[in-house]
Amino acid sequence: MPKLKTKSGAKKRFKVTGSGKVVSAQAGKQHGMIKRTTKFIRKARGTTTLSEQDAKIVKQFLPYK
């Protein structure tokens, strides 16, 4: 059987933890920080785990994780 290809966009954006959860960067922090509230910027630091429904979709793009 041929090997499955990983979506290269997904491998740059997501990581699967040891327990199988999908980790990604916080949304909404690429640009326009001047108009965001300080509370939003503070809460959106670091990374977050995806919901179960979203993780199911992402795992299809990462077949060997």
Side-chain angles (χ1 to χ4, degrees):
M1 286 295 294
K3 292 180 182 175
L4 296 172
K5 285 198 172 183
T6 299
K7 290 276 185 185
S8 54
K11 72 182 172 190
K12 294 170 191 172
R13 290 172 174 84
F14 304 106
K15 196 174 97 173
V16 181
T17 64
S19 60
K21 293 179 182 177
V22 180
V23 177
S24 72
Q26 292 279 7
K29 288 202 67 182
Q30 291 298 315
H31 59 86
M33 289 297 103
I34 200 95
K35 64 179 88 167
R36 309 266 193 255
T37 61
T38 313
K39 183 181 177 182
F40 172 87
I41 295 168
R42 195 168 55 245
K43 287 185 81 174
R45 279 188 194 141
T47 58
T48 185
T49 56
L50 264 59
S51 66
E52 223 173 285
Q53 296 88 343
D54 291 334
K56 191 176 174 184
I57 296 164
V58 171
K59 282 182 180 179
Q60 292 175 340
F61 301 146
L62 304 167
Y64 297 106
K65 298 286 180 189

